[in-house]
Amino acid sequence: MKYKTLGRSGLEVSEVGFGCMSLGEDRAVNKALLHQALDSGITFFDTADLYQKGENEVAVGNAFKGMRDRVVLATKVGNQWRPDGSGWDWNPTKAYILQAVEHSLKRLQTDHIDLYQLHGGTIEDPIDETIEAFEILKAQGKIRAYGISSIRPNVIREYIKRSNIDSVMMQYSLLDRRPEEACLGLLQEQGIGVLARGSLAQGLLVGKSPKPYLGHSEKEVAAAAEAVSRVAGNQRSVAEVAARYVLHHPAVTTAVLGIRTAAQLQDALHVAEAAPLQEQGIEELKRAVQALRYEQHR
């Protein structure tokens, strides 16, 4: 496993991270899977207070009780569940963040969160107020670093200008190359780490039946998957190629892969062990599918 420093935070994180959103409801199974990942070298675990109405954080906290110093825990805030459980509303206010962090700390059974992330964001948000909340929590020692989870270039630019974020989590894959156009170079230049999610494009790059995806037609999705398979050949798995495409960009610190089963964990570990793609392979993948551009939030 390769490890990198996340932005300017000083946090050392595994190049492949464990996306906890997909975990099931069986606590024992979850605990065993999370422990196996940690024992295999994965140290970065990403959850959110939104997932399973907080139960995802509970599962992660329960699994790592007594071994907190071995893991880098990331969670997210900003989506507030309604009292009747009918859904959630966007709430990036200072008051809510300072309240919500206490619940996340309790569920995670820890006195600090390594990376606290705003779970979304719009240009109309009270951005300075949100930043102030994160800075207060950092000064209090309740969080070590903070970032945003956003694909919106205009929001990302504002946080770069107005805050001390260490990371941006964004969707990035061969079928969603929008970050290459507007964000990755800027974030790399600013020393801000990128946490890539959705690297397998909902499984469409690794064997799932093709269907329209974002702005791509079913035919284009099939062509991208075929290119991944060609580059994989007999030496690599398609998951290795799809994830290694994302990791080839120097702005990307970690590919956060959703893991629910032991087989998915093994796929993630194979990605971690795999050699980087050669430039020839990268170019073949790029030729196979046209890069999308952000049409909104520019």
Side-chain angles (χ1 to χ4, degrees):
M1 180 71 69
K2 186 176 180 180
Y3 300 89
K4 300 177 181 177
T5 302
L6 182 64
R8 296 159 298 210
S9 69
L11 295 171
E12 290 292 320
V13 297
S14 50
E15 188 179 47
V16 171
F18 193 123
C20 299
M21 183 178 72
S22 301
L23 289 174
E25 298 180 1
D26 189 315
R27 290 274 179 84
V29 170
N30 291 339
K31 186 174 183 178
L33 193 63
L34 290 164
H35 283 191
Q36 184 181 352
L38 178 60
D39 290 342
S40 300
I42 293 176
T43 59
F44 183 78
F45 297 84
D46 178 75
T47 180
D49 60 0
L50 179 68
Y51 304 157
Q52 300 164 310
K53 298 183 179 179
E55 286 302 307
N56 200 270
E57 287 183 326
V58 172
V60 173
N62 179 64
F64 294 131
K65 184 178 181 180
M67 53 181 68
R68 181 67 182 84
D69 60 335
R70 295 179 58 194
V71 298
V72 177
L73 292 184
T75 192
K76 310 182 195 75
V77 65
N79 294 292
Q80 183 176 17
W81 279 100
R82 299 176 193 136
D84 63 3
S86 62
W88 62 85
D89 299 302
W90 179 237
N91 189 350
T93 63
K94 173 184 172 182
Y96 178 65
I97 292 171
L98 296 180
Q99 169 193 346
V101 72
E102 301 298 337
H103 299 299
S104 286
L105 288 168
K106 184 175 181 179
R107 287 189 290 260
L108 289 166
Q109 300 187 53
T110 184
D111 62 355
H112 72 281
I113 293 163
D114 294 304
L115 178 65
Y116 206 31
Q117 302 160 97
L118 186 68
H119 202 173
T122 73
I123 203 67
E124 290 80 25
D125 289 346
I127 293 175
D128 289 330
E129 184 179 325
T130 302
I131 294 167
E132 184 183 0
F134 284 126
E135 289 290 349
I136 288 171
L137 294 174
K138 194 172 178 180
Q140 291 175 341
K142 292 179 179 178
I143 67 174
R144 292 181 62 189
Y146 66 94
I148 60 173
S149 178
S150 177
I151 62 171
R152 299 180 175 191
N154 58 353
V155 173
I156 291 169
R157 284 195 299 270
E158 286 304 307
Y159 274 89
I160 289 174
K161 286 192 295 186
R162 294 153 72 172
S163 78
N164 296 306
I165 57 169
D166 286 297
S167 67
V168 174
M169 176 175 278
M170 60 174 62
Q171 180 168 290
Y172 178 38
S173 73
L174 180 62
L175 283 170
D176 189 359
R177 291 169 53 200
R178 291 176 295 177
E180 294 177 356
E181 182 232 341
C183 297
L184 293 182
L186 176 61
L187 291 166
Q188 182 185 3
E189 178 184 297
Q190 296 296 320
I192 296 169
V194 173
L195 303 169
R197 61 176 178 83
S199 305
L200 307 184
Q202 298 178 357
L204 294 171
L205 293 172
V206 293
K208 192 174 179 180
S209 297
K211 64 178 182 180
Y213 181 75
L214 299 175
H216 295 297
S217 68
E218 181 177 323
K219 183 178 180 180
E220 289 169 330
V221 169
E226 288 167 6
V228 169
S229 184
R230 283 197 306 275
V231 172
N234 296 321
Q235 305 300 316
R236 298 176 182 262
S237 70
V238 286
E240 287 175 35
V241 173
R244 278 285 153 194
Y245 174 80
V246 168
L247 286 167
H248 93 277
H249 198 290
V252 176
T253 305
T254 295
V256 181
L257 304 179
I259 298 171
R260 184 187 181 95
T261 67
Q264 290 171 341
L265 174 57
Q266 288 306 310
D267 284 343
L269 294 174
H270 289 152
V271 169
E273 295 161 1
L277 294 178
Q278 298 296 315
E279 192 61 34
Q280 180 180 349
I282 296 292
E283 291 306 314
E284 180 175 352
L285 293 172
K286 287 182 175 180
R287 287 194 301 270
V289 58
Q290 185 175 0
L292 300 175
R293 297 176 77 250
Y294 287 109
E295 298 301 329
Q296 298 176 313
H297 315 295
R298 295 186 63 87

